[in-house]
Amino acid sequence: MQQHKKIHWPKVMAPKAAVCPHIRTIHDDTVQDDYYWMIDYFKKGDRSQEVIEYLEKENAYTNSMLEDTADLQEKLFYELKSRIKEKDESVPYYKNGYYYYSRTEEGNQYFKFCRKKGTLEAEEELLLDIDRLADGHAYYTAKGFSVSPDNRLLAFSVDTVSRREYTIYIKNLETGEIYPDQIKNTEGAAIWGNDNLTLFYTAKNPVTLLSEKIMRHVLGSDPAADVLVYEEKDNTNYIAVGKSKNGKYIIINSEGTLSSEIWLLDADFPQTEFRVFQPRMQDVLYSVIALEDRFLILTNDEAINFRIMQCPLDQTERSNWQTFMAHRPDVLVSDIEEFKDFLAIAERKNGLTQLAIYNLSSQQQHYLDFGEVAYTVYPAINVEYNSQKLRYGYTSLVTPSSVYEYDMADQQKVLLKQQEVLGGYDQTAYVTERLFATARDGVQVPISIVYKKGTKLDGTAPLLQYAYGSYGASMDPTFSSNRLSLLDRGFIYALTHIRGGEEMGRQWYEDGKMMRKMNTFYDFVDCGKYLIERHYCTSEHLYAQGGSAGGLLMGVVANIAPEQYHGIIAQVPFVDVVNTMLDDTIPLTTNEYDEWGNPNESEAYFYMKAYSPYENIEAKEYPNLLVTTGLHDSQVQYFEPAKWVAKLRATKTGDTVLLLKTDMDYGHGGASGRFDYLKEIALEYAFLFKLEGIIPDHAQQ
């Protein structure tokens, strides 16, 4: 299957970033930052061109160091692309008399958004041709498709820069006309009032990119005259506007890490005032589900893993909340999908997702059974309120993404579609396992593993360990056709469910944030150590990967356990924690205070300084590192990984490689097309294969 050879790196001079000392003094602590000047491009200052030139030099260096993998990268790209069904169609969903779906065509990067009236045999209406609209753009994302209640108008939003600043457009579906109402600098979603004339949307601060205002737009009017209907004064909260599934309410949600607040408006009267559902309460999160005769409230009020309450439609204050479903300390209630006669309740127990079906009439409940040791299940697109059929998605490390339709009354399921892997895929050729590693404080941390049958579990196989571990985001086991290129070359893949996510309940998240953030990093290292002890790999063959906040994880791991990993891939990594969190002009900084802490407070400052990757670089040997970023990234600014690499290059010892790849056209999410992002995956895989000395044989080429 494969051969191994000694690793050869070209003798190329690495770029050397200019040193320009910048002094930071806070809490009687003085720090010199030699690369602070790299923020200049974002600030549009005098050294902007110097920043670009430095990033381009790093790109050229990376290309030179990986020049002998160029053919491999190209072969990997086509290998990854060859598994994707280019001509495909999503599972149609029914809403208000129409079936909606998207379809892709062979050779095209994007898609068509379409509908059919009444039946799937009806003539297709092409609502938006994203392939045509994206022509000529290096980056193009269209989202937020929202059809008016009378089915005549379509609101949609577009970002052509990759900074998540969306312009909302409105199209007349009968005439094809794009109206002149262009609403700029929004979050993207546009919500229709029931008068078919009024739109609500979230406006962003053009500097910090924070979502601060909910605006009301009347069709045909000048967007500059749009009316402010809600303004968020707490800059640690995110805000959004939506609509209840039954179509009766426009809902504003303001939510931070610790508290939330809901405002409601009768969708039939969009010009009236919003009313607060329940004023925000300290350390209480809640969300609202509108039924015919009452509201349900999903809340952590006196229930760390959330419980479901209920109240009358006209008496929504907390004093009127009554228990609908009691709190269970071993079950996290994460979501509710409402229907006229049923509820589908998404839960987590023992680190696994599950779906409970509740009959509102009989008050009986049952669970769906899935039969795998590690899997992911979730409600899919369910936009029709008057239905007894639930769409849900199912996948595992070996099961391709599948969409099922489940009749909640008859308790029968039908597979509507399963991801097709071109070239043939034999699920039985792969093995998935679920393990529990003991962390240094005694906590059991789940690990989901997949590998190809026949892979030796004697320590000689390479293993890629992945995790995220922040914001309560759970990294559930899912299928990836791209991952087959690793598994088929002998790699083991280990998804570690570390603290900071919510896999094991809300407390799992609480124990991996703020002043307990070190648990996240220690869990990852301890899981890697466990995999070595169990002979899945050795440190010479152990690799780590993570992105964004998971990139922070990679940076810390490189500092605290460099000897345990042969190579690390840090994607758009959040590695300059202190400087970023001290700069409230940087997008999203203030929203993050409840996640990381506010460094303007002494205790938080010194805690995050003690783990921030940029602050803790030492003169020692680091693992081989591939770092990726995007010039237009609005989530983790390009200068964080650029500064980190520059300081690492000037400080570290040994001859391990350090590579920085900046995408000069894209942002946090990478390329927007169906296939362009595969080039970055091919680069990452080539980096791993080179470190392993793997040469693809003729069959794999």
Side-chain angles (χ1 to χ4, degrees), residues 107-112 129-141 158 160 672:
N108 288 337
Q109 290 266 23
Y110 296 91
F111 62 94
K112 274 78 171 158
D129 186 343
I130 309 302
D131 287 306
R132 182 181 63 79
L133 293 173
D135 189 42
H137 293 280
Y139 180 92
Y140 193 93
T141 294
V158 172
T160 59
S672 55

Side-chain angles (χ1 to χ4, degrees), residues 54 84 184 419 587:
Y54 170 71
I84 298 174
K184 298 182 178 180
Q419 173 189 354

Side-chain angles (χ1 to χ4, degrees), residues 41-42 111 230 299 404 408 438 461 486 557 624 685:
Y41 181 78
F42 176 67
F111 62 94
Y230 177 86
T299 180
Y404 286 88
M408 294 179 284
T438 303
L486 288 176
V557 167
N624 298 285
Y685 284 6

Side-chain angles (χ1 to χ4, degrees), residues 328-611:
R328 290 161 290 169
D330 62 335
V331 177
L332 172 69
V333 182
S334 55
D335 193 18
I336 302 173
E337 193 73 61
E338 75 272 26
F339 300 86
K340 184 177 180 181
D341 299 314
F342 295 91
L343 301 175
I345 304 170
E347 300 177 347
R348 290 184 174 276
K349 184 175 182 180
N350 198 30
L352 290 175
T353 51
Q354 55 188 28
L355 283 177
I357 307 301
Y358 184 90
N359 188 310
L360 287 165
S361 298
S362 68
Q363 301 181 26
Q364 297 297 306
Q365 178 174 287
H366 67 274
Y367 284 87
L368 278 67
D369 179 57
F370 306 108
E372 286 192 82
V373 295
Y375 63 88
T376 301
V377 65
Y378 53 92
I381 299 176
N382 292 281
V383 295
E384 188 63 37
Y385 181 68
N386 296 302
S387 175
Q388 67 180 33
K389 293 182 178 180
L390 167 75
R391 294 273 181 90
Y392 69 88
Y394 180 85
T395 182
S396 74
L397 291 172
V398 297
T399 305
S401 296
S402 309
V403 178
Y404 286 88
E405 186 169 79
Y406 181 72
D407 192 310
M408 294 179 284
D410 296 342
Q411 300 186 22
Q412 298 294 318
K413 69 178 180 182
V414 177
L415 176 63
L416 299 179
K417 182 175 182 176
Q418 185 172 84
Q419 173 189 354
E420 185 177 346
V421 182
L422 298 187
Y425 168 66
D426 180 6
Q427 182 172 333
T428 64
Y430 301 87
V431 178
T432 182
E433 299 178 9
R434 184 168 168 80
L435 310 172
F436 284 86
T438 303
R440 63 193 65 190
D441 61 356
V443 170
Q444 297 290 295
V445 182
I447 307 174
S448 299
I449 287 185
V450 63
Y451 53 87
K452 192 168 187 178
K453 282 183 180 177
T455 300
K456 293 182 179 180
L457 304 181
D458 58 1
T460 61
L463 187 149
L464 179 60
Q465 181 185 350
Y466 184 89
Y468 185 72
S470 291
Y471 302 108
S474 298
M475 296 293 105
D476 295 312
T478 59
F479 179 79
S480 167
S481 66
N482 297 327
R483 194 185 299 132
L484 298 176
S485 292
L486 288 176
L487 305 183
D488 289 350
R489 289 173 173 84
F491 267 77
I492 300 169
Y493 181 82
L495 181 60
T496 46
H497 308 285
I498 57 181
R499 279 173 284 187
E502 224 169 41
E503 288 93 336
M504 300 292 282
R506 182 72 178 184
Q507 192 63 51
W508 201 249
Y509 168 45
E510 298 289 342
D511 286 343
K513 66 190 280 282
M514 298 287 283
M515 309 303 284
R516 285 176 267 182
K517 191 63 201 170
M518 286 303 300
N519 285 333
T520 300
F521 314 132
Y522 290 149
D523 282 358
F524 189 88
V525 172
D526 293 345
C527 284
K529 183 179 179 182
Y530 172 83
L531 292 168
I532 292 172
E533 291 172 348
R534 290 286 300 269
H535 305 296
Y536 284 91
C537 64
T538 61
S539 59
E540 292 81 13
H541 299 286
L542 180 57
Y543 302 91
Q545 182 177 13
S548 195
L552 162 65
L553 170 66
M554 296 299 100
V556 176
V557 167
N559 281 335
I560 67 174
E563 73 290 339
Q564 187 167 293
Y565 294 88
H566 188 213
I568 292 177
I569 299 173
Q571 302 159 295
V572 292
F574 173 44
V575 283
D576 193 9
V577 182
V578 177
N579 286 319
T580 290
M581 295 306 297
L582 280 170
D583 188 349
D584 60 12
T585 68
I586 291 176
L588 310 183
T589 288
T590 55
N591 283 141
E592 309 295 314
Y593 286 159
D594 292 335
E595 181 72 24
W596 314 104
N598 181 349
N600 294 294
E601 299 169 0
S602 175
E603 184 183 15
Y605 170 83
F606 286 107
Y607 187 84
M608 65 177 66
K609 184 190 175 192
Y611 69 73

Side-chain angles (χ1 to χ4, degrees), residues 242-251 289-290 338:
K243 196 173 190 179
S244 62
K245 189 189 288 190
N246 64 13
K248 294 184 177 181
Y249 300 96
I250 307 294
I251 301 175
I289 299 94
E338 75 272 26

Side-chain angles (χ1 to χ4, degrees), residues 309-329:
M309 309 295 282
Q310 59 186 345
C311 70
L313 295 174
D314 58 351
Q315 299 176 46
T316 61
E317 297 80 9
R318 181 175 179 269
S319 58
N320 297 298
W321 296 2
Q322 301 293 323
T323 299
F324 178 83
M325 189 171 290
H327 175 253
R328 290 161 290 169

Side-chain angles (χ1 to χ4, degrees), residues 128 140-146 154-160 165-171 178-192 198-204 213-217 219 221 223 226 241:
L128 285 177
Y140 193 93
T141 294
K143 72 168 193 174
F145 306 138
S146 178
L154 169 66
F156 65 100
S157 60
V158 172
D159 173 17
T160 59
E165 296 178 87
Y166 291 89
T167 298
I168 295 172
Y169 298 90
I170 298 145
K171 181 178 181 180
I178 301 288
Y179 288 167
D181 314 50
Q182 294 185 14
I183 309 170
K184 298 182 178 180
N185 199 30
T186 79
E187 286 283 358
I191 306 302
W192 290 97
T198 307
L199 282 168
F200 296 91
Y201 63 91
T202 307
K204 304 184 79 164
K213 299 175 180 178
I214 304 297
M215 307 295 292
R216 184 178 68 215
H217 175 77
L219 204 62
S221 66
D226 287 354
V241 61

